[in-house]
Amino acid sequence: MKNLVLVLMWVLLVNQASAQCPIIPSPSFYSPGMKYRIESALVLDSTELDVNNWNYFKSCLKNLFDIDLKHTEANPLFHFGASPNLSQPPNIADEGYIIDLTLMGNSIDAGSRSGQFYAINSLLQLISHDENGWYIQGATVRDEPAFKWRGLHLDVSRHFFSVDEVKRYIDLMALYKFNTFHWHLTDDQGWRIEIKQYPKLTEVGAYRDSTMLGHYSDQPRIFDKNAYGGFYTQDEIREVVKYAQERHITVVPEIELPGHSRAALAAYPELSCTGLQQGVPGTWGIFDDIYCSKQETIDFMKNVLSEVIELFPSEYIHIGGDEAPKVRWEACPNCKKVMDENELANTHELQSYFIKQMDEFLTSKGKKLIGWDEILEGGLSPNAAVMSWRGMQGGIEAAQQKHEVVMTPTTYCYFDYYQSSHPSEPLAIGGYLPLEKVYKFNPVPNGLSADEAKYILGGQANLWAEYITSLEQLEYMTYPRALALAQSVWCHEKPSFEAFLSDYLAYQEDFLERNDVNYARSIHQPQLEISRKKNGINVHFKGMGDDYHFTVSTKEIGGYSMSGGQAMGVNDTLFFEKAPWGTDPKIIQTSVLDEAGRSSLVNRFVLHSNLGAEIEMVTQPHPKYNHNGSLNLVDGIIGTLPWKGSQWLGFDTSYVEFIVDLGEEKDISSVELGFLDQNGSWIYLPEQITVQVSKNSKWCLKKKFTTKVESTDPTLLLNTSGRYVRVRIEAMEQIPIGQEGGGNMPWTFIDEIQIR
Ligand code: ACM
Ligand code: ZN
């Protein structure tokens, strides 16, 4: 017997050394033990198990594994220890828990009902199946969250999701220990919450008579002409709030003001500056018509918020505050009167004044206001919390001013962005946010003192639904990226990305399948790693791990005869040689197939004569849109649409300048550049390009060529020679007023430069 115990201890220790952890988010401590067989029922002592938690555990066990949950006080597999009634809370953090399912113990202790709920969700991930049937992986688990706000957001205005679909979203959040559901209930394209005092908000504001199809940047834009809409009754809202509460999730409602309010203004046009009757728009974007700042609107908003407060027990109420153009306010006599009476210097201060009214009102009702980081402009209201989305700077400023902050920067947290550049990705708004990038998210940015960092409540991902038209697609955009986010908001010290990926692949894809989640398989596509090589580039197809096998085949297209396919293994590299000077580029298409014949990654390489050339960037791309640095401009991959971020370099500067080194002096007849024209995303063609050529990088004014840019692929005709080619691109001064982002500086996105 003693020997058996020793052997088991040894097995346990060996297991521990190589232990992969099935639980995500990764617990603070995990040490696996032996397997405990489960026949048709899991039998435990539930005396101390909270009744909601019991119901949740029971239904998950049944739905996921067809296992029953049974109570016994005689010889249970394990028991729930002190916690739910907290008569004697053990020494565990509020949301923490300890699972001790080992040779030595059989208890689960928690610091609260929430902690107990998180323990249950970990147990669900410890259940597995082998040739002998179901078992629960015995383990010691100690765990507690790093952050108080672990959020996912959902926009139900641009596309509507039914109560059942919202519940499903909440169910999946619960599995990964998210605790805040940010429900974006109102926006330009639809008002989705019943307000008894203002019935037209839903009678009129919840429906639009057309919806944009395709991408906002498509020319021409196309629309369907179908009525579209829906809203939640107050009873349905209560039902969702209760459902979430049972899963230890707080629902934070967002009622947008003063911008993104066209649906409300369609119902009550008298609340706008012009009083003009307009419909609920079926197009996306930012609209000039926003709530007027007059007293009548403030009273309306307070009445709306009074009903909202009654429905949502949440401590925080989100009032939006983002993307509110001030053109109507600038021209409005009512707004001018409010500014004069309150001695406000400009319309930013007017917005701040508007928000302060809401802050005072919510504070008087025992609630806290939270808003997007634009609420910093014109002065932050005394009790406001800030949700930082335009990067983390807004959050940093707010924390330094001792205001609470939730970090949700586009860079890491916008799950409406593409997660790979694979052609099969469903249409998305743009941008590029692969799983690995999400994993890098840390809600506490560098540069905050420990004292300031205390104001960071946590982080959240946002699911804006312009292009998310179904629950299936919503799950695709959310998973698996939400698991990477869960790591960032739950773990005190998260494992490396490689360790996370290995755990994810070993356990979580099965778990997601068991939960019928339409998760994205984008990470199964090999990544392309491109590097400069003498006379060309190396393209390395990087698979996910040693076990992942695929083949890459190449063929020449565009006037060349096809050559045979080429079989490759994992981690293979192709060398592409640049075309000899003076000849046309060769076009090569590569495609990747996995063993099951699935998932083909097709890439097209244009092997031009300056492929892989050295480039000195005089202006640096914006860090968000700087995939592979200057090599991006000469990697043979021509940027395509829809825009997925990784193929382009993006600049928010008034000009862009770089110098290409051809290695030796050449006769140069033309320079061709590629630009992105996506005005809906504030990306514009530049005004003009100037090219200079030099033998020795001393710039002679005579060898200067300038052209206006009128297409996405302008070509400058030169007749000169030299080694260095300096390109200067002048952006348009500002986005024309009346356009999306009017008055702001446009972005310039460039791709391949081809010199002949
Ligand atoms: C936002 O994405 N406009 C908050
Ligand atoms: Zn006004």
Side-chain angles (χ1 to χ4, degrees), residues 273 292-293 332 335:
C273 290
C292 180
S293 65
C332 171
C335 289

Side-chain angles (χ1 to χ4, degrees), residues 212-219 221 283-286 427 467 678-681 739-740:
M212 181 179 283
L213 300 172
H215 197 274
Y216 184 90
S217 294
D218 290 351
Q219 292 296 341
R221 292 188 186 146
T283 178
W284 322 127
I286 299 174
L427 182 69
Y467 301 94
Q678 296 270 283
N679 301 348
S681 307
Q739 300 297 315
E740 205 66 48

Side-chain angles (χ1 to χ4, degrees), residues 137-385:
Q137 174 65 55
T140 306
V141 182
R142 268 183 240 118
D143 205 7
E144 62 176 67
F147 291 98
K148 171 179 163 184
W149 186 300
R150 306 183 299 279
L152 288 186
H153 148 290
L154 178 61
D155 165 16
V156 293
S157 173
R158 277 55 177 268
H159 282 98
F160 182 66
F161 294 90
S162 69
V163 167
D164 282 346
E165 289 172 329
V166 171
K167 284 182 175 172
R168 160 78 176 175
Y169 193 65
I170 289 171
D171 276 337
L172 298 181
M173 285 177 67
L175 292 174
Y176 295 102
K177 305 186 177 84
F178 287 101
N179 70 349
T180 307
F181 172 49
H182 173 169
W183 204 359
H184 185 79
L185 285 163
T186 73
D187 212 302
D188 297 302
Q189 296 80 6
W191 182 283
R192 306 280 177 232
I193 173 172
E194 178 189 25
I195 300 293
K196 304 264 191 209
Q197 288 176 80
Y198 300 104
K200 283 199 284 182
L201 283 174
T202 43
E203 284 165 17
V204 176
Y207 299 93
R208 57 183 187 245
D209 56 17
S210 72
T211 298
M212 181 179 283
L213 300 172
H215 197 274
Y216 184 90
S217 294
D218 290 351
Q219 292 296 341
R221 292 188 186 146
I222 37 172
F223 294 85
D224 76 20
K225 294 281 187 254
N226 304 325
Y228 182 92
F231 67 93
Y232 310 103
T233 65
Q234 294 201 349
D235 281 343
E236 287 173 327
I237 298 270
R238 282 189 202 93
E239 184 184 329
V240 169
V241 168
K242 178 166 176 288
Y243 191 83
Q245 259 173 346
E246 287 164 3
R247 284 152 186 77
H248 298 267
I249 291 173
T250 302
V251 185
V252 176
E254 180 180 353
I255 307 295
E256 272 268 19
L257 62 90
H260 287 296
S261 47
R262 279 281 305 273
L265 298 179
Y268 297 100
E270 63 273 22
L271 299 176
S272 69
C273 290
T274 63
L276 201 69
Q277 174 70 66
Q278 299 183 86
V280 178
T283 178
W284 322 127
I286 299 174
F287 297 88
D288 284 343
D289 287 291
I290 66 174
Y291 291 117
C292 180
S293 65
K294 63 196 169 192
Q295 189 57 38
E296 197 183 338
T297 319
I298 306 262
D299 294 341
F300 162 83
M301 279 320 317
K302 287 183 183 173
N303 291 336
V304 168
L305 289 176
S306 296
E307 292 191 32
V308 169
I309 288 165
E310 289 301 314
L311 293 168
F312 294 91
S314 160
E315 182 182 6
Y316 298 90
I317 303 289
H318 202 302
I319 53 76
D322 60 321
E323 299 179 323
K326 306 296 185 299
V327 280
R328 295 287 181 262
W329 284 8
E330 300 281 358
C332 171
N334 287 321
C335 289
K336 180 158 188 332
K337 189 156 156 267
V338 179
M339 285 170 63
D340 289 346
E341 283 171 5
N342 296 282
E343 296 178 4
L344 305 172
N346 54 44
T347 48
H348 288 302
E349 289 190 13
L350 182 56
Q351 165 145 338
S352 175
Y353 167 81
F354 198 128
I355 304 288
K356 272 198 190 93
Q357 306 296 304
M358 299 303 122
D359 183 8
E360 275 167 26
F361 178 72
L362 290 172
T363 304
S364 77
K365 301 284 181 190
K367 297 288 191 186
K368 287 187 182 169
L369 176 147
I370 185 164
W372 301 110
D373 56 56
E374 284 93 331
I375 67 171
L376 280 152
E377 293 161 7
L380 193 50
S381 188
N383 309 308

